[in-house]
């Protein structure tokens, strides 16, 4: 390694953080994290290196996910875990289905689309999905 | 792929907000940390996801003569398509109050 190095504990944390990343990305992130640390005082380096270590598993997930690795789902509420969603209607902005309505839970984002041959009734959805109404 | 609807987290929204606020400029991890107040460990996964979606371009800063031997800094910048997608995603997220819902698509895919 050429050039300055962060304080040893911070540097070790960065090495550990990078070790969990996919092999082909390690050099990039090692250099990137090292540069960021060098701009900080030693106490700041420790804080930042700890934060990077904490986020390293999420970073690995983002780097290894296929398809559309966008954002994590919000933790569902207790009601939602028991299937008692509170649906609201949304219009689909997908170009393949422009204007098509679907129901999405206002708490957890669970989506239900109406069957092709059935008229969709949001009131019925909500009556079935909540204990005491909303 | 296009059928997945996912919740835009606060971290994603904050990072997108900072990127959109200065779309033409180069952003760095430390700068985004200052802009958003988020811990660095939450910023890099968001940047990696946005980069996977091709909303972001990234590259290495060229070191100046006084920086020879120092590690390089990595810059991030919204791509042209990424800027439009980010603005749409932010508008969508801000239009809902309790749960922020957004479907983020790879750049180049029609919205």
């Amino acid at each position: 390694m050429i050039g300055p190095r962060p304080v040893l504990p911070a540097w070790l944390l960065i090495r550990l953080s990078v070790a969990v990343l996919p092999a082909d990305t390690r050099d990039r992130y090692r250099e990137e994290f090292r540069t960021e640390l060098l701009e900080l005082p030693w106490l700041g380096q420790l804080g930042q290196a700890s934060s990077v270590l904490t986020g390293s598993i999420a970073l690995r997930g983002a780097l290894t996910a296929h398809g559309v690795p966008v954002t994590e789902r919000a933790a569902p509420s207790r009601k939602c875990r028991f299937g008692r969603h509170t649906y609201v209607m949304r219009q689909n902005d997908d170009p393949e289905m422009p204007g098509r309505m679907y129901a999405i839970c206002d708490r957890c984002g669970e989506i239900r689309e109406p069957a092709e041959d059935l008229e969709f009734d949001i009131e019925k959805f909500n009556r079935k999905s909540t204990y005491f109404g909303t | 792929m296009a059928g997945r609807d996912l919740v835009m987290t606060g971290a994603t929204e904050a990072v997108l907000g900072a990127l959109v606020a200065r779309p033409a400029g180069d952003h760095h991890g430390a700068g985004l940390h200052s802009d958003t107040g988020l811990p660095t460990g939450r910023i890099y996964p968001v940047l990696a996801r946005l980069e996977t979606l091709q909303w972001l371009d990234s590259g290495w800063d060229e070191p100046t003569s006084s920086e020879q031997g120092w590690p390089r800094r990595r810059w991030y910048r919204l791509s042209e398509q990424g800027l439009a997608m980010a603005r749409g995603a932010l508008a969508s997220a801000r239009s809902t109050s309790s749960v922020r819902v957004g479907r983020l698509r790879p750049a180049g895919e029609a919205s």
Side-chain angles (χ1 to χ4, degrees):
Chain A
M1 188 184 69
I2 303 169
R5 203 165 61 174
V7 294
L8 186 60
W11 184 232
L12 293 175
L13 290 175
I14 291 299
R15 296 284 298 260
L16 192 59
S17 308
V18 170
V20 305
L21 301 180
D24 57 340
T25 64
R26 287 178 197 156
D27 287 343
R28 167 194 161 170
Y29 280 102
R30 188 182 299 114
E31 182 163 5
E32 188 169 356
F33 294 153
R34 180 177 155 220
T35 314
E36 303 282 356
L37 288 188
L38 287 172
E39 296 171 355
L40 299 170
W42 70 270
L43 198 57
Q45 290 185 15
L46 283 176
Q48 180 147 330
S50 305
S51 175
V52 167
L53 180 62
T54 307
S56 60
I57 299 299
L59 179 57
R60 183 181 65 178
L63 293 169
T64 55
H66 298 289
V68 185
V70 189
T71 50
E72 11 346 349
R73 283 185 181 278
S77 73
R78 190 184 307 165
K79 274 189 172 182
C80 295
R81 279 202 297 273
F82 287 103
R84 302 294 182 180
H85 300 281
T86 303
Y87 288 102
V88 295
M89 292 301 293
R90 291 271 193 279
Q91 199 163 22
N92 202 326
D93 62 348
D94 192 321
E96 294 166 10
M97 295 179 283
R100 184 184 167 128
M101 301 299 286
Y102 65 96
I104 184 167
C105 176
D106 197 35
R107 282 192 297 265
C108 72
E110 170 77 14
I111 288 176
R112 288 186 72 174
E113 295 198 45
E116 291 281 349
D117 54 341
L118 294 176
E119 189 175 342
F120 188 77
D121 183 352
I122 184 63
E123 293 303 324
K124 189 176 174 187
F125 250 126
N126 279 336
R127 278 200 302 276
K128 289 174 69 177
S129 301
T130 55
Y131 284 108
F132 306 109
T134 53
Chain B
M1 185 166 80
R4 290 177 62 185
D5 282 276
L6 297 155
V7 176
M8 180 191 274
T9 61
T12 306
E13 188 177 345
V15 170
L16 280 178
L19 292 167
V20 166
R22 200 162 48 83
D26 291 349
H27 297 264
H28 301 88
L32 289 169
H33 166 64
S34 306
D35 293 344
T36 62
L38 291 170
T40 317
R42 292 185 66 192
I43 291 173
Y44 284 105
V46 173
L47 292 175
R49 289 186 188 106
L50 295 175
E51 215 177 343
T52 308
L53 290 167
Q54 299 173 353
W55 289 24
L56 281 184
D57 296 326
S58 73
W60 295 108
D61 278 344
E62 288 300 318
T64 62
S65 56
S66 62
E67 293 172 340
Q68 292 298 329
W70 282 64
R72 298 165 298 172
R73 299 175 80 201
R74 185 111 190 152
W75 55 259
Y76 296 89
R77 190 186 308 144
L78 278 169
S79 64
E80 194 174 322
Q81 289 174 321
L83 176 59
M85 304 287 262
R87 283 183 171 144
L90 283 172
S92 170
R94 287 166 183 166
S95 68
T96 52
S97 54
S98 55
V99 176
R100 287 161 295 192
V101 178
R103 176 189 291 182
L104 309 187
R105 301 188 185 88
E109 198 172 294
S111 57

